[in-house]
């Protein structure tokens, strides 16, 4: 997941909702960011990265690497991602 800064205010949090049928398996730790997951029925449904430092500044981007398994059957998967800024905008 590549997150560019799209504001003069730093990005301080990124929330990714895992599509139904996709199995989130693991993530790569990112220096300066705390990672947490939410589960339902033993499966990860949401991943949140929160900056422990300044976050993603204007003119920069940050990559959040993770591994997920596609569903057995082909279909569509909608990845909802939310980018939170220090000034309170999303």
């Amino acid at each position: 997941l590549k997150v560019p800064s799209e504001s003069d205010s730093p990005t301080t949090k990124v929330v990714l909702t895992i599509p139904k049928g996709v199995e989130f398996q693991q993530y790569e730790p990112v220096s300066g960011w705390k990672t947490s997951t939410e589960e339902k029925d033993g499966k990860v449904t949401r991943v949140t990265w929160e900056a422990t430092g300044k976050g993603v500044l204007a003119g920069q981007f940050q990559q959040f690497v993770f591994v997920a398994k596609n569903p057995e059957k082909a279909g569509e998967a909608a990845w909802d991602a939310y980018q939170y800024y220090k000034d309170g905008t999303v």
Side-chain angles (χ1 to χ4, degrees):
L1 175 64
K2 185 175 184 179
V3 178
S5 178
E6 298 174 333
S7 170
D8 290 334
S9 184
T11 297
T12 56
K13 181 166 81 168
V14 176
V15 177
L16 178 68
T17 301
I18 308 302
K20 186 173 181 163
V22 175
E23 183 181 325
F24 180 87
Q25 296 180 329
Q26 55 189 289
Y27 64 90
E28 178 178 32
V30 178
S31 181
W33 293 80
K34 174 185 153 196
T35 307
S36 60
T37 58
E38 293 177 37
E39 294 185 10
K40 183 177 181 182
D41 300 326
K43 296 191 185 254
V44 174
T45 57
R46 183 172 292 183
V47 182
T48 301
W49 290 272
E50 290 189 74
T52 58
K54 294 181 180 181
V56 184
L57 304 178
Q60 299 179 346
F61 70 88
Q62 179 65 56
Q63 294 192 104
F64 301 95
V65 179
F66 64 92
V67 175
K69 180 180 176 186
N70 288 326
E72 295 294 325
K73 292 182 180 181
E76 293 185 18
W79 293 86
D80 293 329
Y82 302 92
Q83 185 172 4
Y84 294 77
Y85 295 94
K86 187 176 183 176
D87 66 6
T89 59
V90 180

